[in-house]
Amino acid sequence: MKKITISSLLIAILIFSVVLAGCGSAKETNTAEKKHEEFVYAMSGLFKPFNYKEDGKLTGFDVEIGEALAKKMDMKPKAITFPFETIIQGLRDQKFDAILGSMTVTEERLKAVDFTNPYYKSGSRIFVSANNNEIKSKADLKGKKIGVTPATVYEKLAKKLTDQDKVMVYSQGDMTALMDLATGRVDAVICDDIFGRVAVTQGGLKMKPVDELLQVDNQAIATNKEDPELTKKINKALDEIIADGTYEKISKKWFDYNLMDAGK
């Protein structure tokens, strides 16, 4: 009788161990599945109307595009802010899934991350105060103070067009730089053309664009090179929101026209 009890106990322990192992595997699987259910995308939060905070909540064109993409991918959207100067490293460190923050595709960035198809096109533009008649082209910027957001293509362009010590960086974002045009703290600002025009039409800033675009820029969603499947999923979702009119609806809400038509 005693032998039967011990044998039964050993069998029970073995069964319990198998069940525990199975539960552990199921828990790990559920955790992995849960991770892929959430689409975490980062942005500076300083680029109104693309991405900014209103009453403590992130909003803007980029935020809503991310929400639309997540819906198509059957994922839960989660927009977060991250310092733009280190945002690529944050992506590589897997602190989030993607950068959806009006990031310009460049050869240098392509070495560090992958990019989706462009989700809009714009360009780098020089802006000056409305009463400035001295600066009429990029050739007139030599020796002038140019305001830019750090770690952007605009900063690189400014360093080619004026003296290094004349490039004024604004970690608070382009809007702060543009506001300094009126006070004379800077002579010009180089920023995104669409952003600058919105600052005039919707923000009421007394400034004007100068000359032609310095360059046409593709704005795309940056993804980790270790996750090519996510890049494919985002591209598919992007095609779908463009085809069904979701993209145009979001674009017209924020800009009164379809950004897909910009740069054409």
Side-chain angles (χ1 to χ4, degrees):
M1 189 72 179
K2 186 175 181 181
K3 288 183 179 179
I4 294 173
T5 303
I6 293 173
S7 298
S8 299
L9 183 60
L10 288 172
I11 292 171
I13 292 172
L14 180 61
I15 293 172
F16 185 64
S17 299
V18 172
V19 171
L20 275 181
C23 289
S25 299
K27 185 177 181 181
E28 288 173 6
T29 301
N30 289 337
T31 302
E33 288 176 354
K34 185 176 181 182
K35 179 182 178 182
H36 288 290
E37 286 174 0
E38 195 170 58
F39 177 49
V40 185
Y41 52 105
M43 57 197 65
S44 70
L46 300 169
F47 199 45
K48 188 177 181 178
F50 289 94
N51 58 81
Y52 65 104
K53 284 190 175 182
E54 188 170 79
D55 299 325
K57 183 181 178 181
L58 262 176
T59 188
F61 173 76
D62 289 332
V63 176
E64 292 194 14
I65 289 295
E67 292 170 348
L69 292 173
K71 185 176 181 180
K72 291 293 184 182
M73 295 188 292
D74 196 25
M75 299 172 79
K76 182 181 178 181
K78 183 179 180 180
I80 66 170
T81 59
F82 203 87
F84 204 79
E85 298 94 316
T86 56
I87 200 167
I88 286 181
Q89 189 57 50
L91 175 61
R92 298 184 69 182
D93 290 341
Q94 300 183 0
K95 293 183 177 180
F96 37 84
D97 302 311
I99 301 170
L100 207 172
S102 297
M103 177 168 277
T104 302
V105 180
T106 66
E107 290 298 323
E108 184 178 351
R109 286 171 176 164
L110 280 167
K111 295 175 184 177
V113 297
D114 283 340
F115 279 98
T116 63
N117 297 332
Y119 73 106
Y120 77 88
K121 291 187 177 184
S122 185
S124 307
R125 173 83 77 173
I126 301 166
F127 287 87
V128 298
S129 62
N131 59 3
N132 187 323
N133 296 314
E134 183 181 355
I135 300 174
K136 298 179 180 179
S137 71
K138 63 182 182 181
D140 299 324
L141 290 177
K142 188 63 178 177
K144 304 295 184 183
K145 290 183 179 179
I146 305 175
V148 292
T149 299
T152 60
V153 294
Y154 316 123
E155 182 181 12
K156 289 185 177 181
L157 287 169
K159 288 180 177 179
K160 292 178 182 179
L161 296 172
T162 192
D163 305 319
Q164 299 285 311
D165 62 340
K166 298 293 183 179
V167 178
M168 309 289 110
V169 295
Y170 288 79
S171 58
Q172 306 95 326
D174 294 320
M175 183 57 73
T176 307
L178 290 171
M179 291 175 68
D180 272 357
L181 282 174
T183 63
R185 290 192 179 95
V186 292
D187 302 303
V189 169
I190 297 177
C191 66
D192 177 78
D193 180 51
I194 297 172
F195 178 81
R197 291 180 182 276
V198 168
V200 174
T201 59
Q202 297 182 24
L205 295 188
K206 304 298 182 182
M207 61 183 202
K208 60 185 178 183
V210 169
D211 208 358
E212 300 178 348
L213 292 178
L214 294 173
Q215 64 183 46
V216 176
D217 302 319
N218 285 326
Q219 313 294 335
I221 302 164
T223 55
N224 202 307
K225 285 185 176 292
E226 304 301 318
D227 196 357
E229 286 304 312
L230 179 61
T231 309
K232 292 178 183 178
K233 286 179 67 175
I234 295 174
N235 277 332
K236 182 175 181 293
L238 181 59
D239 288 341
E240 289 174 355
I241 67 170
I242 291 172
D244 68 13
T246 302
Y247 180 96
E248 184 172 8
K249 182 179 178 181
I250 295 172
S251 185
K252 286 187 174 180
K253 171 185 174 180
W254 291 99
F255 303 100
D256 298 325
Y257 72 99
N258 192 340
L259 256 61
M260 277 295 172
D261 296 332
K264 293 183 178 179

